[in-house]
Amino acid sequence: MASTLSPLPQLPVPTERIADPQTGRVNQNWYQYLKALDQHIREVEKRLAAGGL
């Protein structure tokens, strides 16, 4: 059975800092990645709670 889940988001460049050391703010690329990953995990949880993927 094929899954209709969207693929996991692409991981940002591993050497790119997650946060700017001067401002303490999360890097834009990492923020977008973590936001998309959060959405993906929420969708999986929703489908599991509903009875399957």
Side-chain angles (χ1 to χ4, degrees), residues 3-4 10 12 14 20-21 28 30 32-33 36 40 43 47 51:
S3 174
T4 58
Q10 174 116 10
D20 182 336
Q28 183 70 21
W30 278 101
Q32 290 175 343
Y33 168 76
H40 185 83
E43 180 66 23
R47 290 179 182 212

Side-chain angles (χ1 to χ4, degrees), residues 10-40:
Q10 174 116 10
L11 186 65
V13 179
T15 56
E16 193 172 346
R17 291 182 184 248
I18 293 177
D20 182 336
Q22 293 180 345
T23 64
R25 291 186 163 185
V26 174
N27 174 303
Q28 183 70 21
N29 291 335
W30 278 101
Y31 175 79
Q32 290 175 343
Y33 168 76
L34 294 171
K35 186 176 175 182
L37 183 61
D38 177 61
Q39 245 348 88
H40 185 83

